[in-house]
Amino acid sequence: MTSIMTESGVDAGEGWGAARADAKVVRSRKRRLTLGLTAAAVLAGIPFIDGFVDGFRGVPRHPTPDWIVDVLLLPVLLLAAVVSWRNWREMDEVQRALAVQVWAVIGCAGLVSSVFLEVLGKYVALGEVSHMAWFLSAAIGMVFYFYRRVRA
Amino acid sequence: MAEEADMKNRLKVLRAERNWSQAELAGRLDVSRQAVNAIETGKYDPSLPLAFRIGRLFERPIEEIFDDEHHD
């Protein structure tokens, strides 16, 4: 077995690269699992906190004012921002290029679908057009992402 | 990813010469296996810093690894 030293002085013998890539995948999976569990805990915890406040005050459960619900969404948005930032730092340039393309597709789909659905909504009962456009553009972005990943 | 990439490269050949898997090369270059695959199949042209890293790893000048089909 040949022993090759990298520029940083690390022994880079055979299988060094594969072991490094495997370790990276394991680290990435652990991080994703932790973040997924945290996200689930935050989302599941919001209604619990909501009911807990009423229980603590000893008053019957009542609908939460909108501003409290909005404030409770802040940790969710913060978590999404942290996850996105950490993922971006972990990505290589090919993955970053794909991420930028996915965001561009979502943006374009949102731009077109919001106008299209608004016009269509005049003739067909569509419900909440802005929500529909949001979900449609997100779905188109996801389809684009998985199509590119499968092709790669 | 530049789908209309006109760049050809010898990455697959150089990797095969060393009997490295895509994962092995990816680990040595500190990129994902998908990145190695995308470069090898010509679906993505690497940035200059990554091209230099590839050149240093294989101890060859960049132009020996990447070939622009449109050069004069």
Side-chain angles (χ1 to χ4, degrees), chain A residues 47-48 50-52 54 59-64:
Chain A
F48 174 77
D50 190 20
F52 180 78
D54 285 337
V59 296
R61 184 90 195 262
H62 65 280
T64 310

Side-chain angles (χ1 to χ4, degrees), chain B residues 7-33:
Chain B
M7 198 88 76
K8 284 200 166 180
N9 68 74
R10 299 183 57 231
L11 203 57
K12 196 172 182 176
V13 175
L14 292 168
R15 179 170 67 75
E17 281 173 3
R18 283 154 184 78
N19 209 18
W20 288 347
S21 64
Q22 284 189 342
E24 175 73 31
L25 179 57
R28 287 170 185 269
L29 290 171
D30 202 19
V31 296
S32 63
R33 194 198 55 78

Side-chain angles (χ1 to χ4, degrees), chain A residues 55-95:
Chain A
F56 186 75
R57 289 169 61 208
V59 296
R61 184 90 195 262
H62 65 280
T64 310
D66 278 351
W67 71 269
I68 293 180
V69 176
D70 292 342
V71 168
L72 287 173
L73 283 175
L74 282 177
V76 178
L77 292 174
L78 188 67
L79 189 68
V82 169
V83 170
S84 303
W85 172 241
R86 291 206 63 135
N87 281 344
W88 183 262
R89 282 182 56 193
E90 280 294 307
M91 288 175 186
D92 59 45
E93 59 184 65
V94 175
Q95 293 166 324

Side-chain angles (χ1 to χ4, degrees), chain B residues 10-65:
Chain B
R10 299 183 57 231
L11 203 57
K12 196 172 182 176
V13 175
L14 292 168
R15 179 170 67 75
E17 281 173 3
R18 283 154 184 78
N19 209 18
W20 288 347
S21 64
Q22 284 189 342
E24 175 73 31
L25 179 57
R28 287 170 185 269
L29 290 171
D30 202 19
V31 296
S32 63
R33 194 198 55 78
Q34 287 80 10
V36 171
N37 186 56
I39 295 168
E40 278 188 1
T41 53
K43 287 179 186 158
Y44 178 80
D45 291 335
S47 65
L48 262 182
L50 180 54
F52 273 111
R53 278 214 312 272
I54 293 169
R56 271 199 299 273
L57 181 67
F58 289 112
E59 296 173 325
R60 280 163 200 258
I62 291 174
E63 60 270 26
E64 261 188 37
I65 303 172

